[in-house]
Amino acid sequence: MRLNRVTRGCPCPVLAKLESFNPGGSVKDRIGLAMVEAAERSGQLKPGGTIVECTSGNTGVGLAMVAAIRGYHAVFCMPDKVSSEKVNLLKAFGAEVQLSPTAVAPESPESYYSVAKRIARERQGAFLTDQYNNPANPEAHYRTTGPELWEQTGGAITHFVAGMGTGGTISGTGRYLKEKKPSVQVIGADPVGSILKAYHETGRMTEAHPYKIEGVGEDFIPTATDFKVIDRVVACNDRDGLTMARRLAREEAVFVGGSSGMAAWVAIEVAKQLTPDDLVVVLIPDTGERYLSKVHNDAWMRDNHLLDPSATRVADVVGAKAGRLPALLRLQVGEPVRRALTLVEQHEVTQLPVFRGEEVVGTIYDSEILKSVLGDASALDRPVETLMGEPLPIVRSDQSLSDVTRLLAARNPAVLVLEDGAIRGILTRFDMLQFIAGSA
């Protein structure tokens, strides 16, 4: 499908190949079947045997489905940073799951690579599919993904963008496309913290660092990756990739995970430098349903300092206030100033909107209450409208925080939030500072 809203400013089309429509919900269904069939042909996997793999989840789902149909056992070793949805999904297919620490070297006995190798050695009839080094991985994409892209674009594709993990998708697809049209540019998307970009550019190993995006990047070099096919690699940080994943859901109605957001972000960065005659295709590997507890969870994003204020809606900040304060403290015309003072003292607020029915007619500030009461104690019994100033600006709950920032910077201490035709919340400068501090 063509991306429209997130690609504003790009001179050429950016098309997304949505691999979530595969039976297991990801691009890895292709290699799950291919690797099992190759092992059956070679005699390495026999009836009643056990399929073993180290996976961030999606390859495991593809393999688990094949195992269920063909009567194999399945054991999957995963890094402990993967979402709970992926773990539970594999268990639902009848697979055994073992979690290993993420922040250990590949050669560590604790790494999920090492644990998978040990299980394959120790269990009778077990076979390690080893997607990182299995030639059936890129071959599956050479036979299926590459021809599909070529045919579905009518040969018009000029740039292909895909995330890099095992490297099978980009290598197999890229090899086919370059055989059909040598000028096609094959561009890898790599998370900041992975070593693949640096290795492609220098041929040397570097030190890997932890990152939050799942299923892509590596701290070693998989032999399934053919760097000769890849023209360049673009790095994407966690915040940009995960924010793009959220934007794709909200602006394009395409529900994806973090690696998809990363690939889309790179594709858009590439497209910005091209011409109207170019055609960029980005492979979107899976669905966002596997990341509901992470990238699509505001609290997780905020706790990991990844929530981008520029891509956040007013409603997100109002929701973050839950538990600290009521969504909206209000006064009605005719209520005494004493009532306003009580609310200020109880909730430590500095301004309160004044309503006439459901219409906002003004604002009363703690400073005005203090000034009046110090001059005349009887002011506490006067109606609040005798002290109120102009109403606060109103914003919709679906507006971006950038709109709120502009209003707050223009000497407005707060804004009122409109949702479903009624004022339902208030955002102050302090609320915004707290929210941004929790995201930084």
Side-chain angles (χ1 to χ4, degrees):
M1 67 166 282
R2 180 169 181 165
L3 301 179
N4 294 301
R5 298 181 67 185
V6 297
T7 56
R8 288 194 186 106
C10 296
C12 66
V14 178
L15 306 183
K17 183 162 179 59
L18 305 181
E19 289 292 289
S20 60
F21 284 90
N22 284 311
S26 90
V27 67
K28 296 294 189 175
D29 288 357
R30 298 174 185 267
I31 70 169
L33 179 61
M35 292 190 300
V36 169
E37 289 181 337
E40 289 173 338
R41 288 193 299 270
S42 68
Q44 294 172 288
L45 186 59
K46 296 180 172 60
T50 299
I51 296 170
V52 182
E53 183 58 285
C54 44
T55 174
S56 61
N58 287 330
T59 301
V61 172
L63 289 168
M65 292 176 71
V66 178
I69 291 169
R70 300 198 177 183
Y72 298 115
H73 302 288
V75 181
F76 300 115
C77 304
M78 308 177 75
D80 57 10
K81 75 173 184 179
V82 300
S83 66
S84 59
E85 291 90 339
K86 287 182 178 178
V87 175
N88 292 333
L89 185 59
L90 290 173
K91 290 180 177 179
F93 282 112
E96 176 186 339
V97 177
Q98 297 205 14
L99 298 178
S100 297
T102 299
V104 296
E107 61 274 12
S108 166
E110 293 184 280
S111 77
Y112 70 120
Y113 311 108
S114 298
V115 173
K117 291 176 183 176
R118 176 177 56 77
I119 291 172
R121 286 195 308 269
E122 294 175 353
R123 298 199 186 186
Q124 187 174 3
F127 172 68
L128 178 64
T129 49
D130 191 10
Q131 60 177 316
Y132 298 93
N133 302 295
N134 193 323
N137 176 353
E139 182 63 24
H141 294 288
Y142 180 81
R143 289 187 293 102
T144 64
T145 317
E148 287 172 22
L149 291 179
W150 182 255
E151 293 164 11
Q152 291 166 4
T153 63
I157 182 173
T158 61
H159 295 73
F160 173 61
V161 178
M164 298 172 63
T166 67
T169 301
I170 195 168
S171 300
T173 306
R175 178 160 63 93
Y176 181 89
L177 293 174
K178 282 184 173 288
E179 286 180 3
K180 301 295 288 187
K181 185 178 178 179
S183 63
V184 170
Q185 292 288 294
V186 176
I187 300 153
D190 195 36
V192 172
S194 164
I195 70 170
L196 299 178
K197 180 180 188 294
Y199 185 83
H200 178 262
E201 294 172 350
T202 67
R204 295 194 300 271
M205 297 286 288
T206 55
E207 184 180 352
H209 301 281
Y211 49 90
K212 297 294 182 182
I213 296 175
E214 295 181 29
V216 282
E218 287 302 341
D219 49 6
F220 69 101
I221 304 302
T223 62
T225 303
D226 183 358
F227 285 98
K228 297 188 298 296
V229 169
I230 302 166
D231 293 288
R232 61 187 168 116
V233 180
V234 178
C236 175
N237 63 48
D238 283 332
R239 175 171 283 196
D240 286 337
L242 298 179
T243 296
M244 181 56 69
R246 291 163 66 93
R247 288 188 62 196
L248 286 170
R250 294 178 178 184
E251 298 178 41
E252 304 282 0
V254 178
F255 198 42
V256 303
S259 62
S260 299
M262 178 195 71
W265 184 88
V266 169
I268 292 166
E269 291 300 300
V270 168
K272 288 176 182 177
Q273 310 302 318
L274 302 180
T275 73
D277 296 327
D278 291 303
L279 177 62
V280 178
V281 177
V282 56
L283 189 133
I284 302 296
D286 70 355
T287 166
E289 292 175 3
R290 290 168 192 178
Y291 310 93
L292 286 167
S293 63
K294 301 185 81 174
V295 65
H296 295 291
N297 181 296
D298 289 349
W300 184 88
M301 290 285 287
R302 193 162 47 248
D303 290 346
N304 286 279
H305 311 295
L306 293 168
L307 201 58
D308 184 353
S310 66
T312 304
R313 300 171 305 159
V314 170
D316 298 327
V317 189
V318 174
K321 290 176 60 176
R324 283 197 299 115
L325 281 174
L328 181 65
L329 296 167
R330 63 168 74 194
L331 296 163
Q332 285 288 335
V333 167
E335 288 193 270
V337 172
R338 189 182 305 278
R339 166 68 175 157
L341 179 59
T342 299
L343 291 177
V344 167
E345 290 177 332
Q346 286 180 345
H347 300 285
E348 298 182 350
V349 294
T350 57
Q351 63 276 307
L352 293 160
V354 181
F355 286 71
R356 180 179 285 113
E358 290 301 314
E359 178 190 4
V360 184
V361 294
T363 310
I364 187 167
Y365 296 93
D366 61 345
S367 57
E368 289 299 316
I369 298 172
L370 176 64
K371 185 165 58 176
S372 297
V373 172
L374 286 176
D376 180 6
S378 66
L380 287 172
D381 298 316
R382 295 175 190 163
V384 291
E385 59 266 29
T386 61
L387 297 183
M388 74 182 184
E390 293 295 314
L392 294 168
I394 297 173
V395 297
R396 300 188 317 275
S397 62
D398 62 350
Q399 284 182 248
S400 72
L401 289 195
S402 57
D403 298 331
V404 177
T405 302
R406 284 193 293 271
L407 288 169
L408 294 179
R411 297 187 179 180
N412 296 297
V415 296
L416 297 174
V417 180
L418 181 71
E419 185 174 16
D420 297 330
I423 303 297
R424 302 190 185 278
I426 185 170
L427 283 184
T428 68
R429 287 175 181 160
F430 182 71
D431 294 329
M432 289 289 292
L433 288 171
Q434 278 205 319
F435 186 83
I436 291 169
S439 306

